[in-house]
């Protein structure tokens, strides 16, 4: 069965076409800079790899151009759009409404719309992708996979904020958590690799542009570091992670910033960007730190320190830990970050093997020392495969 996975952002559409259940990638690509200057489409299949600048004013035109490539006589991979039996959509926010992957109907679309205010940057773009795909693939089932759904198993003490009850009861203000598709995917990989009996207590550490950690008990999320929105918890590329909310009032009341500026500071100008005076990519930050840049070294030390703090918290709530999983761009590739997080943790039975940690690979692997009580794993995440898998399971 052919399943197209779409991740529709405000100015881009990432796509991958899968053969399921084999998980074979038939083609993949991205439409970038939709509605902006110099829009570009990338398309890659076994037949060719193409990059083309063309006029793409909106998501509909973008997806139509993708379909043109899919159907193309020379580089295409399908004869008719009806070969695609399902389209799996990444939807960032499912609120408390969606705890599972669902087939999209009018009611689901209405509910996704109601959640626009919770994810104003993401849900409208995800919704747009759904509407456009419905028009182009009228025979396919449209499926929504939510970033928040995996965390709906958190107990109330983990998701409720200690603010007046009415804010949860009437306004749905609570911890939702994000990156759920990734946390679920790598946790299940760890469980099938080690056996469920050896992986009952997992902490997954997703370190990419956005960063989050999840405490997982018997395959279920019981706590996670991102909260109501995507700015809590770990230090991220441009996001501050945890800060004392009184800083916001000080910035507004005493230093003259308006709320939009504060929002911009906390979402885009903080985190590694703020600490290094402008760098967000770990490859650059690590290179500068290596060359003796003290701000870059401190930024890395602070990022690792924050992860360690959450690791301690999650070991406490899980009453111990079987496995730590590193994933996403930084988690999969940054040898120094994994080392900094795991060193000096022998009290907890965590002991990293420095040589195994330094091996570069795209494989699922263990990097703990022989006598480490806790397994330390590196597992490449694949949110697109997970969306295809969940879509396939749902409609099959
Ligand atoms: P997202 O999907 O959220 O954009 P990714 O999971 O692709 O993020 O992670 C991107 C980040 O991974 C980059 O910004 C960079 O910091 C980091 N990264 C990628 N490759 C390496 C590497 N070889 N060493 C260290 N960090 C890396």
């Amino acid at each position: 069965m052919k399943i197209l996975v779409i991740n529709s952002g405000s100015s881009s559409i990432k796509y991958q076409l899968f053969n399921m259940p084999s998980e074979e990638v038939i083609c993949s690509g991205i439409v970038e800079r939709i509605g902006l200057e110099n829009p570009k489409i990338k398309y890659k299949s076994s037949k060719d790899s193409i990059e083309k600048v063309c006029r793409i004013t909106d998501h509909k035109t973008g997806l139509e151009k993708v379909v043109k490539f899919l159907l193309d006589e020379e580089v295409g991979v399908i004869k008719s759009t009806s070969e695609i039996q399902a389209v799996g959509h990444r939807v960032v926010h499912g609120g408390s409404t969606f705890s599972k992957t669902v087939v999209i109907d009018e009611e689901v679309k209405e509910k996704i719309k109601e959640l626009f205010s919770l994810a104003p940057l993401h849900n409208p773009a995800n919704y747009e992708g759904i509407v456009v795909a419905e028009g182009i693939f009228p025979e396919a089932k449209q499926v929504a996979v939510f970033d928040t759904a995996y965390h709906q198993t958190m107990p109330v003490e983990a998701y409720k904020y200690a603010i007046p009850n009415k804010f949860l009861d009437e306004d749905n203000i609570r911890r939702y958590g994000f990156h759920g598709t990734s946390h679920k995917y790598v946790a299940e990989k760890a469980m099938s690799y080690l056996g469920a009996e050896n992986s009952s207590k997992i902490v997954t550490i997703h370190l990419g542009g956005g960063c989050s950690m999840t405490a997982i008990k018997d395959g279920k999320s019981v706590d996670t570091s991102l909260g109501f929105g995507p700015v809590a918890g770990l230090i991220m590329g441009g996001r501050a992670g945890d800060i004392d909310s009184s800083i916001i009032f000080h910035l507004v009341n005493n230093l003259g910033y308006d709320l939009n500026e504060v929002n911009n500071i906390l979402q885009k100008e903080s985190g590694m960007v703020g600490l290094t005076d402008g760098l967000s990519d770990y490859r650059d930050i690590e290179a500068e730190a290596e060359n003796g840049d003290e701000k870059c070294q401190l930024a890395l030390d602070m990022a690792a320190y924050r992860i360690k703090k959450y690791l301690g918290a999650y070991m406490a709530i899980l009453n111990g830990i079987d496995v730590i999983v590193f994933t996403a761009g930084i988690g999969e590739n940054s040898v120094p970050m994994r080392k900094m997080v795991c060193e000096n943790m022998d009290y907890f039975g965590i002991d990293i093997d420095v040589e195994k940690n330094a091996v570069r690979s795209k494989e699922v692997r263990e990097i703990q020392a022989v006598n480490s009580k806790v397994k330390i794993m590196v597992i490449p995440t694949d949110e697109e495969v997970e969306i295809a898998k969940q879509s396939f399971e749902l409609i099959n």
Side-chain angles (χ1 to χ4, degrees):
M1 177 190 295
K2 290 192 179 77
I3 296 185
L4 181 66
V5 171
I6 290 183
N7 183 349
S8 171
S10 54
S11 65
S12 70
I13 304 172
K14 285 189 204 146
Y15 64 92
Q16 269 191 50
L17 182 61
F18 289 92
N19 225 338
M20 295 303 285
S22 72
E23 298 180 10
E24 174 208 355
V25 178
I26 303 170
C27 71
S28 64
I30 183 168
V31 187
E32 288 172 309
R33 306 184 53 77
I34 297 172
L36 304 171
E37 259 178 63
N38 299 322
K40 201 191 266 176
I41 175 161
K42 291 182 190 166
Y43 171 84
K44 189 176 164 207
S45 73
S46 59
K47 293 181 183 159
D48 209 346
S49 189
I50 299 169
E51 223 180 287
K52 202 171 149 192
V53 176
C54 40
R55 211 174 115 80
I56 306 171
T57 46
D58 53 24
H59 286 68
K60 182 163 178 283
T61 328
L63 198 57
E64 280 169 357
K65 299 243 186 244
V66 171
V67 172
K68 243 180 153 175
F69 277 122
L70 297 179
L71 291 168
D72 188 87
E73 280 199 353
E74 274 176 33
V75 299
V77 285
I78 53 170
K79 297 262 175 290
S80 144
T81 50
S82 63
E83 283 178 47
I84 293 173
Q85 282 172 277
V87 183
H89 297 266
R90 176 192 183 210
V91 181
V92 166
H93 218 307
S96 303
T97 316
F98 297 106
S99 57
K100 283 197 178 74
T101 293
V102 293
V103 173
I104 299 170
D105 57 17
E106 288 307 312
E107 199 186 333
V108 167
K109 278 184 354 200
E110 268 318 298
K111 288 189 173 145
I112 292 173
K113 257 181 155 174
E114 284 166 21
L115 295 164
F116 277 8
S117 66
L118 293 183
L121 296 179
H122 295 102
N123 270 32
N126 303 152
Y127 182 86
E128 177 71 16
I130 293 169
V131 173
V132 167
E134 281 176 334
I136 295 177
F137 304 101
E139 291 156 70
K141 286 239 172 10
Q142 309 288 330
V143 176
V145 181
F146 300 91
D147 273 17
T148 49
Y150 183 56
H151 301 301
Q152 283 292 305
T153 47
M154 282 189 289
V156 60
E157 59 268 32
Y159 73 68
K160 188 167 180 175
Y161 291 111
I163 53 179
N165 290 319
K166 66 173 183 149
F167 289 116
L168 175 61
D169 301 342
E170 293 165 26
D171 302 310
N172 295 315
I173 294 176
R174 48 161 288 178
R175 180 186 303 281
Y176 288 103
F178 298 89
H179 301 136
T181 311
S182 174
H183 289 291
K184 179 174 192 286
Y185 177 81
V186 297
E188 285 174 0
K189 279 263 168 196
M191 291 168 81
S192 72
Y193 184 95
L194 298 168
E197 66 285 6
N198 302 314
S199 49
S200 151
K201 299 168 182 182
I202 307 178
V203 175
T204 46
I205 309 178
H206 175 109
L207 306 175
C211 300
S212 68
M213 287 173 65
T214 299
I216 296 166
K217 180 81 183 41
D218 297 326
K220 293 199 164 64
S221 168
V222 292
D223 203 351
T224 193
S225 61
L226 285 169
F228 174 71
V231 280
L234 304 181
I235 296 175
M236 300 175 235
R239 290 175 251 167
D242 290 338
I243 62 157
D244 180 343
S245 56
S246 51
I247 294 171
I248 296 171
F249 302 105
H250 184 68
L251 288 172
V252 173
N253 295 334
N254 302 321
L255 300 183
Y257 290 90
D258 70 33
L259 279 175
N260 278 335
E261 288 169 329
V262 174
N263 191 38
N264 211 40
I265 290 169
L266 295 180
Q267 301 243 22
K268 296 196 177 138
E269 296 171 7
S270 296
M272 301 308 271
V273 169
L275 295 170
T276 60
D277 297 332
L279 300 177
S280 66
D281 193 305
Y282 269 60
R283 285 162 288 201
D284 303 332
I285 301 168
E286 285 171 2
E288 290 299 320
E290 188 81 358
N291 288 336
D293 185 300
E294 287 177 12
K295 279 185 196 154
C296 288
Q297 187 56 55
L298 178 60
L300 294 169
D301 290 343
M302 286 174 64
Y305 178 84
R306 184 78 57 88
I307 297 169
K308 253 181 202 266
K309 254 166 94 159
Y310 270 89
L311 202 46
Y314 289 170
M315 286 191 288
I317 61 162
L318 291 169
N319 187 19
I321 185 177
D322 299 316
V323 196
I324 297 170
V325 178
F326 285 94
T327 194
I330 301 157
E332 290 163 29
N333 295 300
S334 172
V335 173
M337 188 45 59
R338 292 193 300 253
K339 178 166 175 284
M340 281 192 278
V341 169
C342 294
E343 67 192 355
N344 296 325
M345 298 276 269
D346 47 315
Y347 177 81
F348 299 100
I350 296 168
D351 192 357
I352 193 166
D353 182 308
V354 177
E355 277 168 27
K356 282 187 198 156
N357 182 43
V359 175
R360 297 203 170 270
S361 157
K362 292 265 166 243
E363 299 298 311
V364 172
R365 57 201 189 273
E366 294 177 49
I367 56 166
Q368 76 279 356
V370 185
N371 57 357
S372 179
K373 217 168 77 189
V374 175
K375 302 265 190 224
I376 308 170
M377 298 190 72
V378 182
I379 303 185
T381 194
D382 196 332
E383 286 158 292
E384 282 76 19
V385 165
E386 182 61 31
I387 292 173
K389 248 170 71 183
Q390 292 191 29
S391 305
F392 177 75
E393 279 160 17
L394 184 68
I395 63 170
N396 205 26

